[in-house]
Amino acid sequence: MKSVPDTEENVEICRHFCGPCPTFQSNELRKEEPKLLFCSRGVSKKPNEDIDDMGCNCPQCEVFEKYELEGGWFCIHGTEGRQ
Ligand code: SF4
Ligand code: SF4
């Protein structure tokens, strides 16, 4: 895994994958920091135990492929221990 830069371009890509993700939508993750780009910025401030896992779109995302990410669910688990 490579580290993902927090750029406007990557946020825009993320918006197309995290944005429609059922986990993102049903848990209203847009209302909590860091809102998007969890693979760069880390976990959602919404507590882990309060997030219902409804699936993850990260494996389809261009950022995921470009930076050779693994696992997904970065809003819940971040990237700690996976690098
Ligand atoms: S990191 Fe994965 S599970 Fe979390 S909102 Fe984005 S696509 Fe969904
Ligand atoms: S890998 Fe997941 S968190 Fe990272 S930009 Fe893509 S959809 Fe967003």
Side-chain angles (χ1 to χ4, degrees):
M1 287 179 60
K2 300 173 183 169
S3 53
V4 178
D6 186 350
T7 61
E8 200 43 54
E9 184 188 359
N10 285 341
V11 170
E12 199 48 44
I13 295 169
C14 187
R15 206 182 301 283
H16 292 287
F17 292 91
C18 280
C21 166
T23 299
F24 187 82
Q25 293 272 348
S26 66
N27 295 287
E28 301 192 306
L29 299 186
R30 69 184 178 284
K31 293 186 176 170
E32 303 273 354
E33 293 295 329
K35 297 182 177 160
L36 283 169
L37 208 62
F38 307 104
C39 60
S40 169
R41 298 171 176 172
V43 293
S44 174
K45 291 254 188 317
K46 184 160 184 169
N48 221 328
E49 60 272 19
D50 294 345
I51 302 178
D52 292 326
D53 177 5
M54 311 280 286
C56 178
N57 288 343
C58 289
Q60 283 94 56
C61 171
E62 294 144 57
V63 170
F64 188 92
E65 189 179 344
K66 181 171 177 186
Y67 294 96
E68 300 171 10
L69 304 183
E70 291 168 13
W73 285 274
F74 303 117
C75 59
I76 300 174
H77 301 300
T79 56
E80 295 294 310
R82 297 181 184 221
Q83 310 207 16

